């Protein structure tokens, strides 16, 4: 599981894990963004809530997560990113895991300061076809041609909530609602912390190490 503030690099690291370990990446943000495209009441509700930077109702996420995790491809492990987002969801996740017979696994916290995140948010671009993530303000992460994906040639877009105003709401929500789950997982002794102010390669190396060692006990 990844816990991190918005734009800390969870999505990028998840892509690298998928490539190396061949396990699925389950992101509630991605699932919700897909549903938000639907021309329905729920689609509209999700679009507006996500764009504002607030959290969607807990109950919506429970159904999505349990259905997704119960599929065959999750039986050998998965990366979960964006869920749980508050203490209620963390407790519900315990119940979902119990019903599915899964272990909590390793929880990785990517820490990074607010100013760096703000800078990243405004430059972040995603490929609408393959989901690759770029940053036009970071030389090493910029696409070769602005607005075109290096990997598949797809068009790059900016997320509706990647603006300063939504970021401030998302960051505040993270501090108020998501940070309490860090304590919850520290107490369960499954949490490992990584400094997110580092290169993509260095962060991934640390994640590989955590996975291979399988250490779970950072806060004794
Ligand atoms: P993310 O892609 O993880 O940054 O999520 C984008 C947005 O999706 C969030 O700001 C929320 O509006 C919504 N979202 C994602 N995961 C959850 C969740 N577990 N609970 C409630 N809302 C969520």
């Amino acid at each position: 599981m990844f816990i991190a503030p918005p734009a800390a690099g969870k999505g990028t690291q998840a892509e690298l894990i998928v490539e190396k370990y061949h396990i699925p990446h389950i992101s509630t943000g991605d699932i919700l963004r897909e549903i938000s495209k639907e021309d329905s009441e729920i689609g509209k509700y999700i679009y507006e809530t996500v764009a504002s930077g607030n959290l969607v109702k807990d109950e919506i996420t429970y159904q999505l997560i349990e259905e997704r995790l119960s599929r065959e491809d999750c039986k050998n492990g998965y990366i979960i990113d964006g869920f749980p987002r508050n203490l209620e969801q963390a407790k519900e996740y315990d119940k979902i895991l119990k019903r599915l017979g899964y272990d909590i696994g390793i929880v990785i916290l990517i820490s990074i300061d607010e100013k760096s995140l703000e800078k990243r948010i405004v430059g972040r671009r995603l490929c609408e076809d393959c989901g690759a993530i770029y940053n036009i303000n970071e030389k090493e992460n910029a696409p070769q041609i602005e607005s075109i994906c290096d990997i598949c040639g797809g068009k790059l877009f900016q997320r509706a909530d990647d603006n300063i105003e939504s970021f401030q709401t998302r960051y505040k929500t993270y501090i108020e609602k998501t940070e309490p789950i860090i304590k919850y997982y520290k107490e369960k002794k499954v949490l490992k912390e990584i400094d997110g102010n580092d290169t993509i390669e260095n962060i991934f190396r640390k994640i590989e190490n955590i996975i291979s060692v399988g250490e779970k006990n950072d806060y004794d």
Side-chain angles (χ1 to χ4, degrees):
M1 179 197 300
F2 276 135
I3 302 178
K10 290 175 293 173
T12 303
Q13 294 299 328
E15 275 180 24
L16 297 172
I17 295 178
V18 168
E19 225 171 85
K20 171 154 185 182
Y21 298 94
H22 309 288
I23 53 174
H25 170 209
I26 318 296
S27 152
T28 39
D30 286 349
I31 299 173
L32 290 168
R33 274 185 289 279
E34 269 312 304
I35 304 174
S36 77
K37 292 179 191 161
E38 286 171 15
D39 185 17
S40 64
E41 211 166 299
I42 183 89
K44 197 160 167 261
Y45 161 75
I46 292 175
Y47 181 84
E48 283 167 4
T49 310
V50 170
S52 75
N54 289 301
L55 296 180
V56 307
K57 291 192 193 87
D58 290 343
E59 291 69 29
I60 294 177
T61 63
Y62 299 158
Q63 284 178 7
L64 297 174
I65 282 294
E66 186 151 5
E67 188 279 322
R68 183 63 190 88
L69 297 185
S70 60
R71 291 193 212 162
E72 197 56 36
D73 63 344
C74 290
K75 298 261 161 16
N76 294 322
Y78 54 86
I79 314 152
I80 188 156
D81 144 24
F83 184 92
R85 222 49 174 229
N86 57 35
L87 214 46
E88 293 72 36
Q89 292 186 9
K91 289 179 181 162
E92 185 63 28
Y93 186 51
D94 284 343
K95 293 185 197 157
I96 293 172
L97 290 176
K98 207 167 167 199
R99 283 197 287 272
L100 295 172
Y102 295 161
D103 190 69
I104 183 82
I106 303 168
V107 178
I108 297 178
L109 168 66
I110 305 179
S111 301
I112 181 163
D113 64 285
E114 188 179 354
K115 279 284 153 239
S116 310
L117 294 171
E118 214 176 276
K119 233 172 74 193
R120 284 190 188 184
I121 281 277
V122 290
R124 179 158 69 175
R125 299 289 183 275
L126 281 86
C127 174
E128 62 180 19
D129 294 335
C130 75
I133 304 164
Y134 298 90
N135 198 302
I136 57 167
N137 296 335
E138 294 171 356
K139 224 172 111 202
E140 64 280 14
N141 302 323
Q144 284 175 9
I145 304 169
E146 201 172 313
S147 77
I148 304 287
C149 178
D150 290 353
I151 302 165
C152 75
K155 215 169 125 204
L156 303 184
F157 73 98
Q158 185 167 25
R159 276 171 46 167
D161 56 348
D162 275 355
N163 57 69
I164 295 293
E165 210 188 9
S166 294
F167 168 73
Q168 278 158 357
T169 306
R170 288 157 72 198
Y171 191 76
K172 190 165 164 269
T173 305
Y174 176 77
I175 299 294
E176 288 175 5
K177 307 251 170 77
T178 310
E179 277 209 339
I181 72 175
I182 295 170
K183 184 165 168 268
Y184 185 74
Y185 290 119
K186 270 183 192 173
E187 281 168 7
K188 284 184 182 281
K189 302 200 182 303
V190 290
L191 196 109
K192 295 290 285 180
E193 185 167 2
I194 291 180
D195 179 5
N197 258 322
D198 206 340
T199 61
I200 292 174
E201 293 74 24
N202 283 346
I203 295 176
F204 187 58
R205 231 168 275 139
K206 288 180 194 162
I207 292 174
E208 284 177 308
N209 197 37
I210 289 170
I211 294 173
S212 67
V213 174
E215 284 175 355
K216 296 183 181 180
N217 200 345
D218 212 16
Y219 293 97
D220 276 347

